[in-house]
Amino acid sequence: MHRSRVRRAIATGAAAGTLLLASLGAAPPPTPSPTRSPTPAPTTPAPSGDHDPLARFHTQRVRWGDCPDKPVPAEMRCAVVEVPLDYAAPGKGTVQVALGRIPATDPDRRIGSLLINFGGPGASGMAGLAADPKSFADLGERYDLIGFDPRGVGHSDPVSCAGSREPEIDPNADTAAVLAAMRDAVDQCRRASGPVLAHIGTVDVARDMDVIRRVLGDKKLNYLGFSYGSRLGAVYAAQFPRTTGRMVLDGVDTLAEPLTEQALVSARAQQRALGNFLTWCAHQTDCVYGTNTRTAKEKVAALVERLDEEPLVGRDGTNLTGFAASLAIGQALYSPSAWPLLAKSLALAETKKDPAGLLALLGLGESPDPTDPPDPADPATPTDPPASPDTARGDRFGPVPADNAAAALAAVSCADDPDRSIDKATPAALEKEFTELGDEFLKVSEVFGPRQLVTVLACYGWPAGTDFIRKIDHPGAPPMLLVGTRGDPATPYEWTEETAERLGSAVIVDHKGDGHTGFAGSPCVREYINEFLLYGRLPSGTRSCPAGE
């Protein structure tokens, strides 16, 4: 990769802020503190009692009431639970964790609670549960469905970067200036977030889940985790194997790979998913790339490269660069239901030089007419100012900063990653590393490789995270169910096999289909999941579910 292209890639990736981490799969579509040291391997807390330092957290009462955001299902109620800010020093302070609950619809056959995590990191569990409770109706007959906002996310003492984590960087600036701007951006996140930023990450959230389990009155944790939520479930099982109940991990994240290796594997998975999309497109009558899938891949790569040199400009002045186009394509590959829209968007860009479709896939597009007043009924209309560390929380729930999801993505991902060799690299050494890695990433994918390459910088300036996750090895948890989808662009199937091996007690459902996770799109996958969670029926050995359901 040419030196100028290296600098441009570094500047583009740095300016894209959390898009660096969104480029990764689940840890990842879609962020820790200056004094943080690696978290030692935690141990299961002692039972509640006089000598239990967490006793006051384990014995608290949950007061269910109205939920902070609307609309929610009529039967859904919300609450906050207090957990220690720092489990090594429980008296140091507390964090409020927000929960949403939909009670079991058949209380006479109720099993207990089922915690659900929808991924991210940075996704609100309360919002996820409120948005689609019907998908979990079968499980909701016998379980109280619990969606929770992990610490630092949503209504659980949310982190923020004061509006944006995107530093203003001149793409022509030298690498030293780019890195200095990135360090300043991390400092801004630290100042805006307050003390919770130093105690955020999967290890802490897994311990919060055990507090939630206790206060809900469950002897064991029953859990369904999607995407990043699979990592969270695996970390819980490693810390609390004796209280792990029926656990399902769908769209399985890696536990072992550093960010650079994750980026390379993710680029390969996205390229494989792109090939599946183009094969589908070739069978449509109006595919802009025709019926030759080999030349179609070349044309998509040429479009991305061309947009890096000459971005398309939307009617509202928004630029569509190659970096942004590859991100938009990657987003659409998450679900085959989005493939028709992706095909139309690519046709617009290729034939009419119109970026509107690809920008829309990124949630961007035309600005509203400045003369039109905001519609208070529009859920996208902000009604609360961004929160700051000094914002009063009120009795239960405080406002959520507009940039919370992006800030949490960065904070949690970096808290989980102990590798920080890049922080010690000189600008010249960094440019050299990018040059050496460039050819490898391009060979894997000309469309996604360059964008994934810049994730090498994703945690620059953040302190080293915990190495506990990397050391998980046969923790002794009971058998659990793992679902891997062959065409998954975010969590490639090989991560399912890798994590199953590290857990040592997992049965795999091999979903032959496309898209990210299997539960929503595959009745076969859903049946395996429901049978296990509802009745404890776990098949022996790997099972498979067909594509095209």
Side-chain angles (χ1 to χ4, degrees), residues 137-368:
D138 290 341
L139 296 170
E141 289 183 6
R142 301 187 64 194
Y143 281 109
D144 293 344
L145 302 177
I146 307 292
F148 69 103
D149 291 357
R151 61 168 64 203
V153 174
H155 292 284
S156 297
D157 285 332
V159 295
S160 172
C161 290
S164 174
R165 191 178 171 250
E166 297 183 9
E168 295 183 6
I169 296 174
D170 178 0
N172 297 314
D174 64 32
T175 303
V178 170
L179 299 180
M182 293 186 74
R183 285 193 297 270
D184 290 343
V186 173
D187 286 340
Q188 179 173 298
C189 299
R190 189 176 299 128
R191 291 191 298 270
S193 295
V196 70
L197 192 67
H199 302 281
I200 195 170
T202 301
V203 170
D204 289 314
V205 176
R207 300 200 69 174
D208 295 343
M209 285 165 53
D210 200 59
V211 174
I212 294 170
R213 174 190 67 81
R214 287 173 179 263
V215 300
L216 293 178
D218 292 305
K219 291 183 178 180
K220 294 192 175 184
L221 181 82
N222 299 312
Y223 177 79
L224 175 56
F226 297 100
S227 194
Y228 160 77
S230 69
R231 177 186 294 185
L232 184 54
V235 171
Y236 180 90
Q239 294 183 92
F240 303 99
R242 286 183 240 177
T243 55
T244 297
R246 298 173 186 175
M247 181 171 286
V248 175
L249 313 180
D250 183 3
V252 183
D253 197 2
T254 180
L255 302 177
E257 294 172 353
L259 283 176
T260 301
E261 185 61 27
Q262 287 183 48
L264 192 63
V265 174
S266 294
R268 186 179 295 114
Q270 288 180 306
Q271 184 64 31
R272 185 165 55 233
L274 176 63
N276 293 348
F277 159 74
L278 291 173
T279 298
W280 168 87
C281 189
H283 289 85
Q284 311 307 306
T285 57
D286 56 352
C287 182
V288 70
Y289 296 121
T291 60
N292 188 320
T293 56
R294 181 183 62 79
T295 58
K297 293 176 186 177
E298 294 171 356
K299 290 174 181 177
V300 175
L303 173 66
V304 170
E305 185 174 0
R306 188 164 67 247
L307 291 175
D308 266 335
E309 298 294 337
E310 297 182 21
L312 294 179
V313 182
R315 289 184 291 277
D316 64 348
T318 304
N319 282 345
L320 179 73
T321 63
F323 187 98
S326 67
L327 182 60
I329 295 167
Q331 292 284 80
L333 294 175
Y334 268 55
S335 173
S337 65
W339 288 6
L341 179 57
L342 175 58
K344 292 179 181 179
S345 300
L346 289 168
L348 273 177
E350 293 280 18
T351 63
K352 297 186 177 180
K353 311 301 180 189
D354 185 349
L358 291 172
L359 289 172
L361 289 171
L362 293 173
L364 305 173
E366 300 297 317
S367 298

Side-chain angles (χ1 to χ4, degrees), residues 31-38 186 190 197-198 411 413-420 423 459-466:
T31 303
S33 146
T35 57
R36 179 169 185 163
S37 57
V186 173
R190 189 176 299 128
L197 192 67
S413 298
C414 296
D416 288 355
D417 181 30
D419 299 319
R420 288 298 184 276
D423 287 336
C459 294
Y460 183 83
W462 292 101
T466 177

Side-chain angles (χ1 to χ4, degrees), residues 450-463:
R451 175 168 60 83
Q452 291 286 0
L453 173 61
V454 299
T455 60
V456 173
L457 285 175
C459 294
Y460 183 83
W462 292 101

Side-chain angles (χ1 to χ4, degrees), residues 106-124:
D106 188 353
D108 292 338
R109 300 170 62 230
R110 180 182 176 275
I111 300 171
S113 304
L114 177 69
L115 263 68
I116 305 174
N117 182 278
F118 293 90
S124 165

